[in-house]
Structure formats: structure tokens, C-alpha cells
Short mmCIF file of all heavy atoms in Angstrom, two decimals:
data_model
loop_
_atom_site.label_atom_id
_atom_site.label_comp_id
_atom_site.label_asym_id
_atom_site.label_seq_id
_atom_site.Cartn_x
_atom_site.Cartn_y
_atom_site.Cartn_z
N MET A 5 6.28 -8.40 14.04
CA MET A 5 5.57 -7.13 14.20
C MET A 5 5.31 -6.50 12.84
O MET A 5 6.20 -6.40 12.01
CB MET A 5 6.44 -6.19 15.05
CG MET A 5 5.69 -4.98 15.52
SD MET A 5 4.98 -5.19 17.15
CE MET A 5 5.94 -3.99 18.06
N LYS A 6 4.06 -6.06 12.63
CA LYS A 6 3.68 -5.42 11.37
C LYS A 6 3.44 -3.94 11.61
O LYS A 6 3.19 -3.52 12.73
CB LYS A 6 2.39 -6.06 10.85
CG LYS A 6 2.50 -7.54 10.56
CD LYS A 6 3.25 -7.75 9.28
CE LYS A 6 3.19 -9.24 8.88
NZ LYS A 6 3.94 -9.44 7.63
N LYS A 7 3.50 -3.20 10.49
CA LYS A 7 3.16 -1.79 10.64
C LYS A 7 2.22 -1.35 9.53
O LYS A 7 2.23 -1.88 8.42
CB LYS A 7 4.42 -0.92 10.65
CG LYS A 7 5.14 -0.86 9.32
CD LYS A 7 6.25 0.19 9.38
CE LYS A 7 6.95 0.27 8.03
NZ LYS A 7 8.07 1.22 8.03
N ALA A 8 1.41 -0.36 9.85
CA ALA A 8 0.51 0.27 8.90
C ALA A 8 0.41 1.73 9.31
O ALA A 8 0.93 2.12 10.35
CB ALA A 8 -0.85 -0.40 8.93
N THR A 9 -0.25 2.51 8.49
CA THR A 9 -0.44 3.90 8.90
C THR A 9 -1.83 4.07 9.49
O THR A 9 -2.72 3.24 9.28
CB THR A 9 -0.31 4.87 7.70
OG1 THR A 9 -1.35 4.61 6.77
CG2 THR A 9 1.04 4.71 7.02
N CYS A 10 -1.96 5.14 10.21
CA CYS A 10 -3.25 5.51 10.78
C CYS A 10 -4.32 5.50 9.69
O CYS A 10 -5.41 4.98 9.88
CB CYS A 10 -3.09 6.89 11.42
SG CYS A 10 -4.57 7.64 12.06
N LYS A 11 -3.98 6.04 8.51
CA LYS A 11 -4.92 6.09 7.39
C LYS A 11 -5.36 4.70 6.94
O LYS A 11 -6.52 4.49 6.58
CB LYS A 11 -4.28 6.80 6.20
CG LYS A 11 -4.56 8.29 6.16
CD LYS A 11 -3.97 8.89 4.89
CE LYS A 11 -4.02 10.41 4.95
NZ LYS A 11 -2.96 11.02 4.14
N ASP A 12 -4.40 3.74 6.92
CA ASP A 12 -4.74 2.38 6.53
C ASP A 12 -5.83 1.81 7.44
O ASP A 12 -6.57 0.90 7.06
CB ASP A 12 -3.51 1.46 6.64
CG ASP A 12 -2.48 1.78 5.57
OD1 ASP A 12 -2.86 2.30 4.51
OD2 ASP A 12 -1.30 1.49 5.81
N LEU A 13 -5.87 2.32 8.64
CA LEU A 13 -6.82 1.81 9.64
C LEU A 13 -8.03 2.74 9.76
O LEU A 13 -8.61 2.87 10.83
CB LEU A 13 -6.10 1.67 10.98
CG LEU A 13 -5.01 0.59 10.95
CD1 LEU A 13 -3.87 0.92 11.88
CD2 LEU A 13 -5.59 -0.76 11.32
N ARG A 14 -8.34 3.40 8.66
CA ARG A 14 -9.49 4.31 8.62
C ARG A 14 -9.27 5.55 9.46
O ARG A 14 -10.23 6.21 9.86
CB ARG A 14 -10.79 3.64 9.06
CG ARG A 14 -11.22 2.48 8.19
CD ARG A 14 -12.63 2.08 8.53
NE ARG A 14 -13.56 3.15 8.20
CZ ARG A 14 -14.26 3.20 7.06
NH1 ARG A 14 -14.14 2.23 6.20
NH2 ARG A 14 -15.07 4.18 6.82
N GLY A 15 -8.01 5.83 9.78
CA GLY A 15 -7.71 7.02 10.56
C GLY A 15 -7.56 8.22 9.67
O GLY A 15 -8.13 8.28 8.58
N ALA A 16 -6.73 9.17 10.10
CA ALA A 16 -6.69 10.45 9.40
C ALA A 16 -5.28 10.97 9.13
O ALA A 16 -5.13 12.02 8.52
CB ALA A 16 -7.46 11.49 10.20
N CYS A 17 -4.25 10.24 9.55
CA CYS A 17 -2.91 10.78 9.33
C CYS A 17 -1.95 9.65 8.95
O CYS A 17 -2.34 8.50 8.84
CB CYS A 17 -2.41 11.54 10.57
SG CYS A 17 -1.97 10.47 11.94
N ASP A 18 -0.69 10.01 8.76
CA ASP A 18 0.30 9.03 8.32
C ASP A 18 1.11 8.47 9.48
O ASP A 18 2.18 7.89 9.28
CB ASP A 18 1.23 9.65 7.29
CG ASP A 18 0.50 9.93 5.98
OD1 ASP A 18 -0.30 9.08 5.56
OD2 ASP A 18 0.71 11.01 5.38
N ALA A 19 0.63 8.63 10.68
CA ALA A 19 1.34 8.09 11.84
C ALA A 19 1.46 6.57 11.70
O ALA A 19 0.55 5.91 11.21
CB ALA A 19 0.60 8.44 13.12
N GLU A 20 2.60 6.04 12.11
CA GLU A 20 2.82 4.60 12.00
C GLU A 20 2.18 3.88 13.18
O GLU A 20 2.39 4.27 14.33
CB GLU A 20 4.32 4.35 11.96
CG GLU A 20 4.68 2.93 11.59
CD GLU A 20 6.20 2.77 11.47
OE1 GLU A 20 6.79 3.40 10.58
OE2 GLU A 20 6.76 2.04 12.30
N ILE A 21 1.42 2.85 12.88
CA ILE A 21 0.80 2.03 13.93
C ILE A 21 1.40 0.63 13.82
O ILE A 21 1.44 0.06 12.74
CB ILE A 21 -0.73 1.93 13.73
CG1 ILE A 21 -1.36 3.29 13.46
CG2 ILE A 21 -1.38 1.23 14.91
CD1 ILE A 21 -1.43 4.23 14.63
N GLN A 22 1.85 0.09 14.93
CA GLN A 22 2.46 -1.24 14.91
C GLN A 22 1.64 -2.22 15.73
O GLN A 22 0.87 -1.83 16.61
CB GLN A 22 3.87 -1.17 15.50
CG GLN A 22 4.80 -0.25 14.72
CD GLN A 22 6.22 -0.26 15.27
OE1 GLN A 22 6.49 -0.82 16.32
NE2 GLN A 22 7.13 0.36 14.53
N GLY A 23 1.83 -3.51 15.44
CA GLY A 23 1.15 -4.53 16.22
C GLY A 23 1.58 -5.92 15.80
O GLY A 23 1.96 -6.14 14.66
N GLU A 24 1.53 -6.86 16.75
CA GLU A 24 1.87 -8.26 16.47
C GLU A 24 0.69 -8.96 15.81
O GLU A 24 0.86 -9.90 15.05
CB GLU A 24 2.18 -9.01 17.77
CG GLU A 24 3.48 -8.64 18.44
CD GLU A 24 4.72 -9.14 17.69
OE1 GLU A 24 4.57 -9.87 16.69
OE2 GLU A 24 5.83 -8.79 18.13
N THR A 25 -0.50 -8.52 16.14
CA THR A 25 -1.73 -9.14 15.64
C THR A 25 -2.67 -8.03 15.16
O THR A 25 -2.52 -6.88 15.55
CB THR A 25 -2.45 -9.93 16.76
OG1 THR A 25 -2.81 -8.99 17.80
CG2 THR A 25 -1.56 -11.00 17.36
N PRO A 26 -3.66 -8.41 14.34
CA PRO A 26 -4.64 -7.41 13.91
C PRO A 26 -5.33 -6.76 15.11
O PRO A 26 -5.59 -5.56 15.11
CB PRO A 26 -5.65 -8.22 13.08
CG PRO A 26 -4.90 -9.43 12.63
CD PRO A 26 -3.88 -9.72 13.70
N GLU A 27 -5.61 -7.57 16.13
CA GLU A 27 -6.29 -7.06 17.32
C GLU A 27 -5.43 -5.99 18.02
O GLU A 27 -5.92 -4.94 18.40
CB GLU A 27 -6.57 -8.20 18.33
CG GLU A 27 -7.65 -9.18 17.89
CD GLU A 27 -7.15 -10.17 16.83
OE1 GLU A 27 -5.93 -10.32 16.67
OE2 GLU A 27 -8.00 -10.77 16.16
N GLN A 28 -4.13 -6.34 18.16
CA GLN A 28 -3.22 -5.42 18.84
C GLN A 28 -3.06 -4.12 18.05
O GLN A 28 -3.06 -3.03 18.62
CB GLN A 28 -1.86 -6.10 19.01
CG GLN A 28 -0.97 -5.45 20.04
CD GLN A 28 0.38 -6.16 20.12
OE1 GLN A 28 1.21 -6.04 19.23
NE2 GLN A 28 0.58 -6.93 21.18
N MET A 29 -2.96 -4.27 16.74
CA MET A 29 -2.82 -3.08 15.91
C MET A 29 -4.08 -2.22 15.99
O MET A 29 -4.00 -1.00 16.08
CB MET A 29 -2.54 -3.48 14.46
CG MET A 29 -2.15 -2.31 13.60
SD MET A 29 -1.76 -2.78 11.91
CE MET A 29 -0.04 -3.20 12.03
N GLY A 30 -5.22 -2.88 16.01
CA GLY A 30 -6.48 -2.15 16.15
C GLY A 30 -6.52 -1.38 17.46
O GLY A 30 -6.95 -0.22 17.50
N GLU A 31 -6.07 -2.03 18.52
CA GLU A 31 -6.03 -1.38 19.83
C GLU A 31 -5.10 -0.17 19.82
O GLU A 31 -5.43 0.90 20.32
CB GLU A 31 -5.53 -2.36 20.90
CG GLU A 31 -6.60 -3.07 21.71
CD GLU A 31 -7.77 -2.17 22.10
OE1 GLU A 31 -7.55 -1.22 22.86
OE2 GLU A 31 -8.89 -2.43 21.64
N ASN A 32 -3.89 -0.37 19.25
CA ASN A 32 -2.91 0.70 19.20
C ASN A 32 -3.43 1.89 18.38
O ASN A 32 -3.19 3.04 18.73
CB ASN A 32 -1.60 0.20 18.60
CG ASN A 32 -0.86 -0.72 19.56
OD1 ASN A 32 -1.15 -0.73 20.74
ND2 ASN A 32 0.07 -1.49 19.04
N CYS A 33 -4.15 1.56 17.31
CA CYS A 33 -4.70 2.62 16.48
C CYS A 33 -5.77 3.39 17.24
O CYS A 33 -5.82 4.62 17.21
CB CYS A 33 -5.27 2.05 15.19
SG CYS A 33 -5.87 3.33 14.09
N LYS A 34 -6.62 2.63 17.94
CA LYS A 34 -7.70 3.27 18.70
C LYS A 34 -7.09 4.24 19.72
O LYS A 34 -7.56 5.36 19.89
CB LYS A 34 -8.51 2.18 19.41
CG LYS A 34 -9.93 2.61 19.71
CD LYS A 34 -10.66 1.68 20.65
CE LYS A 34 -11.02 0.34 20.08
NZ LYS A 34 -11.68 -0.56 21.04
N GLN A 35 -6.03 3.76 20.37
CA GLN A 35 -5.37 4.60 21.38
C GLN A 35 -4.82 5.89 20.75
O GLN A 35 -4.98 6.97 21.30
CB GLN A 35 -4.22 3.80 21.97
CG GLN A 35 -4.16 3.86 23.48
CD GLN A 35 -3.22 2.79 24.01
OE1 GLN A 35 -2.08 2.70 23.58
NE2 GLN A 35 -3.69 1.98 24.93
N HIS A 36 -4.18 5.71 19.60
CA HIS A 36 -3.62 6.86 18.88
C HIS A 36 -4.74 7.84 18.51
O HIS A 36 -4.61 9.05 18.73
CB HIS A 36 -2.89 6.37 17.63
CG HIS A 36 -2.72 7.42 16.57
ND1 HIS A 36 -1.78 8.42 16.66
CD2 HIS A 36 -3.39 7.63 15.41
CE1 HIS A 36 -1.88 9.21 15.59
NE2 HIS A 36 -2.84 8.75 14.82
N VAL A 37 -5.84 7.31 17.96
CA VAL A 37 -6.94 8.17 17.55
C VAL A 37 -7.53 8.90 18.76
O VAL A 37 -7.79 10.11 18.70
CB VAL A 37 -8.04 7.34 16.82
CG1 VAL A 37 -9.31 8.17 16.62
CG2 VAL A 37 -7.53 6.85 15.47
N MET A 38 -7.69 8.17 19.87
CA MET A 38 -8.24 8.80 21.07
C MET A 38 -7.32 9.91 21.58
O MET A 38 -7.79 10.96 22.02
CB MET A 38 -8.43 7.75 22.18
CG MET A 38 -9.58 6.81 21.92
SD MET A 38 -11.12 7.73 21.61
CE MET A 38 -12.14 6.47 20.89
N GLU A 39 -6.02 9.67 21.50
CA GLU A 39 -5.06 10.68 21.93
C GLU A 39 -5.19 11.93 21.08
O GLU A 39 -5.19 13.05 21.58
CB GLU A 39 -3.63 10.14 21.79
CG GLU A 39 -3.08 9.54 23.08
CD GLU A 39 -1.73 8.88 22.83
OE1 GLU A 39 -0.96 9.39 21.99
OE2 GLU A 39 -1.48 7.86 23.47
N MET A 40 -5.28 11.71 19.76
CA MET A 40 -5.38 12.84 18.84
C MET A 40 -6.67 13.61 19.08
O MET A 40 -6.68 14.84 19.09
CB MET A 40 -5.32 12.35 17.39
CG MET A 40 -4.01 11.70 16.99
SD MET A 40 -2.59 12.80 17.14
CE MET A 40 -2.80 13.85 15.70
N VAL A 41 -7.77 12.88 19.25
CA VAL A 41 -9.06 13.53 19.50
C VAL A 41 -8.99 14.29 20.83
O VAL A 41 -9.47 15.42 20.93
CB VAL A 41 -10.21 12.50 19.51
CG1 VAL A 41 -11.50 13.12 20.01
CG2 VAL A 41 -10.41 11.92 18.10
N GLY A 42 -8.35 13.65 21.82
CA GLY A 42 -8.20 14.29 23.12
C GLY A 42 -7.41 15.59 23.01
O GLY A 42 -7.61 16.52 23.78
N ALA A 43 -6.51 15.63 22.03
CA ALA A 43 -5.69 16.83 21.84
C ALA A 43 -6.42 17.86 20.98
O ALA A 43 -5.88 18.90 20.64
CB ALA A 43 -4.36 16.46 21.19
N GLY A 44 -7.66 17.52 20.59
CA GLY A 44 -8.48 18.48 19.85
C GLY A 44 -8.35 18.37 18.34
O GLY A 44 -8.73 19.29 17.62
N ASP A 45 -7.86 17.23 17.84
CA ASP A 45 -7.69 17.07 16.39
C ASP A 45 -9.03 16.76 15.72
O ASP A 45 -9.69 15.78 16.05
CB ASP A 45 -6.69 15.95 16.10
CG ASP A 45 -6.38 15.87 14.63
OD1 ASP A 45 -5.46 16.55 14.18
OD2 ASP A 45 -7.09 15.12 13.91
N VAL A 46 -9.40 17.60 14.76
CA VAL A 46 -10.70 17.46 14.11
C VAL A 46 -10.70 16.32 13.09
O VAL A 46 -11.70 15.61 12.95
CB VAL A 46 -11.11 18.79 13.42
CG1 VAL A 46 -12.41 18.63 12.64
CG2 VAL A 46 -11.25 19.90 14.45
N ASP A 47 -9.60 16.13 12.38
CA ASP A 47 -9.54 15.08 11.35
C ASP A 47 -9.80 13.70 11.93
O ASP A 47 -10.49 12.87 11.32
CB ASP A 47 -8.17 15.09 10.66
CG ASP A 47 -7.98 16.33 9.79
OD1 ASP A 47 -9.00 16.98 9.48
OD2 ASP A 47 -6.84 16.63 9.45
N HIS A 48 -9.25 13.43 13.09
CA HIS A 48 -9.45 12.12 13.71
C HIS A 48 -10.87 11.96 14.24
O HIS A 48 -11.42 10.87 14.22
CB HIS A 48 -8.42 11.87 14.81
CG HIS A 48 -7.04 11.61 14.27
ND1 HIS A 48 -6.24 12.61 13.79
CD2 HIS A 48 -6.35 10.45 14.10
CE1 HIS A 48 -5.10 12.07 13.35
NE2 HIS A 48 -5.14 10.77 13.53
N LEU A 49 -11.44 13.07 14.68
CA LEU A 49 -12.83 13.04 15.12
C LEU A 49 -13.72 12.70 13.93
O LEU A 49 -14.65 11.89 14.03
CB LEU A 49 -13.21 14.41 15.70
CG LEU A 49 -14.49 14.48 16.52
CD1 LEU A 49 -14.41 13.55 17.72
CD2 LEU A 49 -14.75 15.90 16.99
N THR A 50 -13.42 13.30 12.78
CA THR A 50 -14.17 13.03 11.55
C THR A 50 -14.03 11.56 11.16
O THR A 50 -14.99 10.93 10.72
CB THR A 50 -13.64 13.91 10.39
OG1 THR A 50 -13.64 15.26 10.82
CG2 THR A 50 -14.50 13.77 9.16
N ALA A 51 -12.82 11.01 11.35
CA ALA A 51 -12.59 9.60 11.02
C ALA A 51 -13.46 8.70 11.88
O ALA A 51 -14.04 7.72 11.40
CB ALA A 51 -11.11 9.25 11.21
N ILE A 52 -13.57 9.03 13.16
CA ILE A 52 -14.43 8.23 14.06
C ILE A 52 -15.88 8.33 13.61
O ILE A 52 -16.60 7.33 13.54
CB ILE A 52 -14.32 8.73 15.52
CG1 ILE A 52 -12.91 8.47 16.05
CG2 ILE A 52 -15.35 8.03 16.40
CD1 ILE A 52 -12.73 8.94 17.49
N GLU A 53 -16.30 9.56 13.28
CA GLU A 53 -17.68 9.76 12.85
C GLU A 53 -17.98 8.95 11.60
O GLU A 53 -19.04 8.35 11.48
CB GLU A 53 -17.94 11.26 12.58
CG GLU A 53 -17.96 12.11 13.83
CD GLU A 53 -18.99 11.64 14.86
OE1 GLU A 53 -20.08 11.23 14.45
OE2 GLU A 53 -18.67 11.66 16.06
N SER A 54 -17.03 8.91 10.66
CA SER A 54 -17.26 8.18 9.41
C SER A 54 -17.33 6.68 9.67
O SER A 54 -18.07 5.95 9.02
CB SER A 54 -16.19 8.53 8.37
OG SER A 54 -15.18 7.55 8.32
N MET A 55 -16.56 6.20 10.66
CA MET A 55 -16.62 4.78 11.04
C MET A 55 -17.98 4.46 11.65
O MET A 55 -18.55 3.40 11.41
CB MET A 55 -15.49 4.48 12.04
CG MET A 55 -15.29 3.01 12.33
SD MET A 55 -14.50 2.16 10.95
CE MET A 55 -14.28 0.51 11.62
N LYS A 56 -18.50 5.42 12.42
CA LYS A 56 -19.79 5.21 13.08
C LYS A 56 -20.95 5.18 12.08
O LYS A 56 -22.02 4.67 12.38
CB LYS A 56 -20.04 6.33 14.10
CG LYS A 56 -19.30 6.14 15.40
CD LYS A 56 -19.81 7.17 16.41
CE LYS A 56 -18.92 7.26 17.63
NZ LYS A 56 -19.04 8.59 18.28
N GLN A 57 -20.72 5.79 10.90
CA GLN A 57 -21.76 5.80 9.87
C GLN A 57 -21.96 4.41 9.28
O GLN A 57 -23.01 4.12 8.72
CB GLN A 57 -21.37 6.75 8.72
CG GLN A 57 -21.11 8.18 9.12
CD GLN A 57 -22.39 8.92 9.48
OE1 GLN A 57 -23.37 8.82 8.75
NE2 GLN A 57 -22.38 9.61 10.61
N LEU A 58 -20.96 3.56 9.41
CA LEU A 58 -21.06 2.22 8.85
C LEU A 58 -21.97 1.36 9.70
O LEU A 58 -22.02 1.52 10.92
CB LEU A 58 -19.67 1.57 8.79
CG LEU A 58 -18.60 2.25 7.94
CD1 LEU A 58 -17.30 1.47 8.05
CD2 LEU A 58 -19.04 2.34 6.49
N SER A 59 -22.67 0.45 9.06
CA SER A 59 -23.48 -0.50 9.81
C SER A 59 -22.54 -1.50 10.48
O SER A 59 -21.39 -1.65 10.08
CB SER A 59 -24.43 -1.23 8.85
OG SER A 59 -23.67 -2.06 7.99
N PRO A 60 -23.04 -2.20 11.51
CA PRO A 60 -22.20 -3.21 12.17
C PRO A 60 -21.68 -4.24 11.17
O PRO A 60 -20.53 -4.68 11.28
CB PRO A 60 -23.15 -3.87 13.17
CG PRO A 60 -24.18 -2.83 13.45
CD PRO A 60 -24.33 -2.03 12.18
N GLU A 61 -22.50 -4.59 10.17
CA GLU A 61 -22.07 -5.56 9.16
C GLU A 61 -20.90 -5.00 8.34
O GLU A 61 -19.95 -5.71 8.04
CB GLU A 61 -23.23 -5.90 8.21
CG GLU A 61 -24.36 -6.71 8.82
CD GLU A 61 -25.27 -5.85 9.70
OE1 GLU A 61 -25.30 -4.62 9.51
OE2 GLU A 61 -25.93 -6.43 10.59
N GLU A 62 -21.03 -3.72 7.98
CA GLU A 62 -19.96 -3.09 7.20
C GLU A 62 -18.68 -2.98 8.02
O GLU A 62 -17.58 -3.18 7.51
CB GLU A 62 -20.40 -1.69 6.73
CG GLU A 62 -21.40 -1.73 5.59
CD GLU A 62 -21.99 -0.35 5.28
OE1 GLU A 62 -22.18 0.44 6.22
OE2 GLU A 62 -22.25 -0.09 4.11
N GLN A 63 -18.84 -2.66 9.30
CA GLN A 63 -17.66 -2.58 10.17
C GLN A 63 -16.99 -3.94 10.27
O GLN A 63 -15.77 -4.06 10.23
CB GLN A 63 -18.06 -2.11 11.58
CG GLN A 63 -18.44 -0.65 11.60
CD GLN A 63 -18.64 -0.12 13.03
OE1 GLN A 63 -18.13 -0.68 13.98
NE2 GLN A 63 -19.38 0.97 13.15
N GLN A 64 -17.82 -4.98 10.39
CA GLN A 64 -17.29 -6.34 10.48
C GLN A 64 -16.57 -6.71 9.19
O GLN A 64 -15.49 -7.29 9.22
CB GLN A 64 -18.45 -7.32 10.76
CG GLN A 64 -18.01 -8.72 11.13
CD GLN A 64 -17.14 -8.75 12.38
OE1 GLN A 64 -17.33 -7.95 13.29
NE2 GLN A 64 -16.16 -9.64 12.42
N ALA A 65 -17.18 -6.36 8.06
CA ALA A 65 -16.59 -6.67 6.75
C ALA A 65 -15.25 -5.96 6.61
O ALA A 65 -14.27 -6.53 6.11
CB ALA A 65 -17.54 -6.24 5.63
N TRP A 66 -15.20 -4.70 7.08
CA TRP A 66 -13.94 -3.95 6.99
C TRP A 66 -12.87 -4.64 7.85
O TRP A 66 -11.73 -4.81 7.42
CB TRP A 66 -14.13 -2.49 7.45
CG TRP A 66 -12.84 -1.76 7.38
CD1 TRP A 66 -12.33 -1.13 6.27
CD2 TRP A 66 -11.83 -1.64 8.39
NE1 TRP A 66 -11.08 -0.62 6.56
CE2 TRP A 66 -10.76 -0.92 7.84
CE3 TRP A 66 -11.76 -2.08 9.72
CZ2 TRP A 66 -9.60 -0.62 8.58
CZ3 TRP A 66 -10.61 -1.79 10.45
CH2 TRP A 66 -9.55 -1.06 9.88
N TYR A 67 -13.27 -5.05 9.03
CA TYR A 67 -12.32 -5.66 9.95
C TYR A 67 -11.82 -7.00 9.41
O TYR A 67 -10.64 -7.33 9.52
CB TYR A 67 -12.96 -5.84 11.33
CG TYR A 67 -11.98 -6.27 12.38
CD1 TYR A 67 -10.91 -5.43 12.73
CD2 TYR A 67 -12.07 -7.51 13.01
CE1 TYR A 67 -9.99 -5.83 13.68
CE2 TYR A 67 -11.15 -7.90 13.96
CZ TYR A 67 -10.11 -7.06 14.30
OH TYR A 67 -9.19 -7.45 15.22
N GLU A 68 -12.72 -7.76 8.80
CA GLU A 68 -12.32 -9.04 8.20
C GLU A 68 -11.29 -8.80 7.09
O GLU A 68 -10.29 -9.52 6.99
CB GLU A 68 -13.54 -9.76 7.61
CG GLU A 68 -14.50 -10.33 8.64
CD GLU A 68 -13.83 -11.36 9.55
OE1 GLU A 68 -13.02 -12.16 9.05
OE2 GLU A 68 -14.12 -11.35 10.76
N ALA A 69 -11.55 -7.78 6.26
CA ALA A 69 -10.64 -7.47 5.16
C ALA A 69 -9.28 -7.05 5.72
O ALA A 69 -8.23 -7.44 5.20
CB ALA A 69 -11.23 -6.36 4.28
N PHE A 70 -9.32 -6.27 6.79
CA PHE A 70 -8.08 -5.83 7.44
C PHE A 70 -7.31 -7.03 7.98
O PHE A 70 -6.09 -7.15 7.79
CB PHE A 70 -8.42 -4.84 8.56
CG PHE A 70 -7.29 -4.58 9.53
CD1 PHE A 70 -6.10 -4.02 9.08
CD2 PHE A 70 -7.43 -4.91 10.87
CE1 PHE A 70 -5.07 -3.79 9.98
CE2 PHE A 70 -6.40 -4.68 11.77
CZ PHE A 70 -5.21 -4.12 11.32
N LYS A 71 -8.02 -7.95 8.63
CA LYS A 71 -7.37 -9.14 9.18
C LYS A 71 -6.76 -9.99 8.07
O LYS A 71 -5.66 -10.51 8.20
CB LYS A 71 -8.39 -9.99 9.97
CG LYS A 71 -8.50 -9.57 11.40
CD LYS A 71 -9.01 -10.68 12.31
CE LYS A 71 -10.35 -11.22 11.91
NZ LYS A 71 -11.02 -11.91 13.02
N ASN A 72 -7.52 -10.13 6.96
CA ASN A 72 -7.04 -10.94 5.85
C ASN A 72 -5.80 -10.33 5.20
O ASN A 72 -4.95 -11.04 4.69
CB ASN A 72 -8.14 -11.11 4.80
CG ASN A 72 -9.25 -12.01 5.30
OD1 ASN A 72 -9.04 -12.84 6.18
ND2 ASN A 72 -10.44 -11.85 4.75
N GLY A 73 -5.72 -9.00 5.21
CA GLY A 73 -4.58 -8.34 4.59
C GLY A 73 -3.41 -8.14 5.55
O GLY A 73 -2.35 -7.67 5.14
N PHE A 74 -3.59 -8.52 6.79
CA PHE A 74 -2.60 -8.21 7.82
C PHE A 74 -1.23 -8.82 7.51
O PHE A 74 -0.21 -8.16 7.65
CB PHE A 74 -3.11 -8.72 9.19
CG PHE A 74 -2.24 -8.29 10.34
CD1 PHE A 74 -2.28 -7.00 10.82
CD2 PHE A 74 -1.37 -9.19 10.94
CE1 PHE A 74 -1.47 -6.59 11.88
CE2 PHE A 74 -0.54 -8.80 12.00
CZ PHE A 74 -0.60 -7.50 12.47
N GLU A 75 -1.23 -10.08 7.05
CA GLU A 75 0.02 -10.76 6.77
C GLU A 75 0.82 -10.08 5.66
O GLU A 75 2.03 -10.20 5.60
CB GLU A 75 -0.23 -12.23 6.41
CG GLU A 75 -0.49 -13.12 7.61
CD GLU A 75 0.60 -13.00 8.68
OE1 GLU A 75 1.79 -13.05 8.32
OE2 GLU A 75 0.27 -12.84 9.86
N ALA A 76 0.10 -9.35 4.80
CA ALA A 76 0.75 -8.70 3.66
C ALA A 76 1.35 -7.35 4.06
O ALA A 76 2.08 -6.74 3.27
CB ALA A 76 -0.25 -8.51 2.53
N LEU A 77 1.07 -6.89 5.26
CA LEU A 77 1.61 -5.60 5.70
C LEU A 77 3.12 -5.71 5.87
O LEU A 77 3.67 -6.80 6.04
CB LEU A 77 0.98 -5.18 7.04
CG LEU A 77 -0.50 -4.80 7.00
CD1 LEU A 77 -1.00 -4.55 8.42
CD2 LEU A 77 -0.74 -3.58 6.13
N GLU A 78 3.75 -4.55 5.87
CA GLU A 78 5.19 -4.49 5.98
C GLU A 78 5.65 -4.92 7.38
O GLU A 78 5.06 -4.53 8.39
CB GLU A 78 5.63 -3.04 5.73
CG GLU A 78 7.01 -2.92 5.12
CD GLU A 78 7.33 -1.47 4.80
OE1 GLU A 78 6.44 -0.77 4.28
OE2 GLU A 78 8.46 -1.06 5.08
N ASN A 79 6.71 -5.72 7.43
CA ASN A 79 7.27 -6.10 8.72
C ASN A 79 8.08 -4.95 9.30
O ASN A 79 8.69 -4.18 8.58
CB ASN A 79 8.19 -7.31 8.55
CG ASN A 79 7.41 -8.58 8.37
OD1 ASN A 79 6.57 -8.94 9.19
ND2 ASN A 79 7.66 -9.27 7.28
N VAL A 80 8.09 -4.89 10.62
CA VAL A 80 8.89 -3.87 11.29
C VAL A 80 10.16 -4.52 11.84
O VAL A 80 10.08 -5.54 12.49
CB VAL A 80 8.12 -3.23 12.47
CG1 VAL A 80 8.96 -2.11 13.09
CG2 VAL A 80 6.79 -2.69 12.01
ZN1 ZN B 28 -3.64 9.42 13.07
#
């Protein structure tokens, strides 16, 4: 199991996000962000908006970089 912060995943806070795989961590982060936005958090809403500004190619490139760096993340 690896861990990263919400910020590492283009989020907005230092909340710890864990996952066995990049996919799982991405899912967990999405859930966290949705929860925060649901609670009315503006910073996380801004983070989503900034992600949406990226082209699909840029989003893909970011995700590839995240996947490539996943093994280097801290173990939990
Ligand atoms: Zn967060």
C-alpha cells in the first residue's frame, strides 16, 4: 500500500490518500475530493476546475507521470 497527499494528486489539502495501485489511489482521491466539495469546500472545487482546464492529452500525460512515480511513493 502506498500513500500520497491530496495535493500530490492535484487536490487541495494535505489529507493522506492511500491505495494499492495508481487506479485505486486515484479512485480514493476522487472520493475524498467529492466529499470535500459536497461539504462545500471551495479549494477542492477549484482543484477540479483546474483539472478540467487541461486537455485530455495533458490529463493523460499527468496520469502517466503519476503512474510512473507510483512505485517511488512512500509505503504505508
Ligand atoms: Zn483534499
Side-chain angles (χ1 to χ4, degrees):
M5 192 94 114
K6 299 285 188 180
K7 69 171 181 183
T9 64
C10 175
K11 268 185 190 152
D12 290 334
L13 294 149
R14 298 192 65 97
C17 73
D18 291 318
E20 191 176 295
I21 313 288
Q22 299 183 351
E24 289 288 355
T25 62
E27 289 76 17
Q28 197 182 73
M29 190 178 273
E31 263 320 296
N32 289 342
C33 184
K34 205 192 289 178
Q35 226 166 52
H36 159 77
V37 169
M38 288 305 165
E39 265 174 35
M40 296 299 285
V41 170
D45 186 89
V46 176
D47 290 343
H48 288 76
L49 194 60
T50 308
I52 294 180
E53 290 303 321
S54 99
M55 190 74 176
K56 281 190 193 155
Q57 302 288 313
L58 299 179
S59 68
E61 291 77 22
E62 285 171 325
Q63 289 189 22
Q64 191 59 34
W66 179 85
Y67 189 63
E68 289 300 321
F70 165 62
K71 273 204 302 200
N72 290 336
F74 187 76
E75 281 308 312
L77 291 174
E78 210 176 318
N79 284 304
V80 183

